[in-house]
Each structure stands twice: as structure tokens, then as C-alpha cells.
Amino acid sequence: MVRPRGEIKVICQNEKCKYYLKEEGKDIIKRGKYSIGHQRYYCHHCKTFFMETKGTPLYHKHLSKSEIINICKHLVEKNGIRSIERITGHYRDTIGNLIEDLALHAELVS
Ligand SMILES: [Zn+2]
């Protein structure tokens, strides 16, 4: 008997795939993890692997989710980048890049 597949919430992130960003008819399975602990997925249609964070502001970030949330909390409290640098201990360019990516992502969503 085949083990039932768990609920997969991600969608294919390969632009060349027929099922790119399509929920219906997708055929995606979990296939291992990346070294920093992110889940790796595999699309049966285009036969590519991708990371769970692809297509989100977390993609290509060394910061963990909790660190990013922490920085965002300081941001909405109207702390400056240098102020956040002193509070969290992350370099200001790291924070600046993160804010830029967040803004870009927000623009794409809206
Ligand atoms: Zn695909």
C-alpha cells in the first residue's frame, strides 16, 4: 500500500514549467532538506528541485525566520536601520537589503 501524501502547500517556482504558480494539477513532493534546514521540494512536471522559501522574502537569506520577524518588529516601531543594527547585532547593509527585498515583495503582492 502506498503511503498517502501529506498536504503540500507550495506551488512550482520554475518559470518554464507548465504548472508555474498553479495550484491545480500540481505534482509536487517533498524531497530532502537543505543544509540550513529548509524543506526541499520536487516538481514532477518540470523535474526540478526548489526550496520552500523560493518566491518569498526569506529566499537567499542567511537570517532565520525569527531574526527577520524580529527586525520587522523593530522597523514598525520606527527604529532606524542603525538603531536596529545596535539592537539586533546585524550589520546595517544586511538589514538594508532585507528591507529592500521586503518592499519589492510587497509591491509584487499588491
Ligand atoms: Zn514545475
Side-chain angles (χ1 to χ4, degrees):
M1 210 177 114
V2 184
R3 190 164 57 100
R5 283 183 191 175
E7 188 80 27
I8 304 272
K9 292 190 192 81
V10 293
I11 39 178
C12 188
Q13 299 289 334
N14 179 7
E15 282 163 48
K16 290 175 192 122
C17 181
K18 269 196 299 185
Y19 291 89
Y20 173 60
L21 300 183
K22 266 190 200 160
E23 181 70 33
E24 229 168 281
K26 67 177 183 179
D27 195 2
I28 290 164
I29 55 162
K30 286 182 182 177
R31 184 71 71 80
K33 291 224 167 138
Y34 288 93
S35 52
I36 40 167
H38 289 308
Q39 179 68 51
R40 192 172 75 151
Y41 291 97
Y42 178 75
C43 175
H44 275 295
H45 293 296
C46 56
K47 309 216 178 323
T48 51
F49 294 99
F50 60 93
M51 201 188 269
E52 62 178 337
T53 56
K54 194 161 183 197
T56 76
L58 288 174
Y59 189 54
H60 272 317
K61 292 281 179 298
H62 290 284
L63 297 166
S64 71
K65 200 174 173 181
S66 59
E67 284 173 320
I68 290 176
I69 291 169
N70 198 15
I71 290 171
C72 291
K73 274 182 190 161
H74 290 304
L75 262 178
V76 293
E77 288 298 327
K78 289 186 182 168
N79 283 306
I81 289 174
R82 277 159 200 274
S83 154
I84 298 170
E85 180 187 26
R86 285 188 296 272
I87 297 167
T88 61
H90 296 298
Y91 189 61
R92 56 183 174 272
D93 283 354
T94 312
I95 298 161
N97 289 339
L98 175 70
I99 294 168
E100 249 170 56
D101 285 357
L102 289 172
L104 199 76
H105 192 74
E107 214 171 277
L108 289 173
V109 168
S110 57

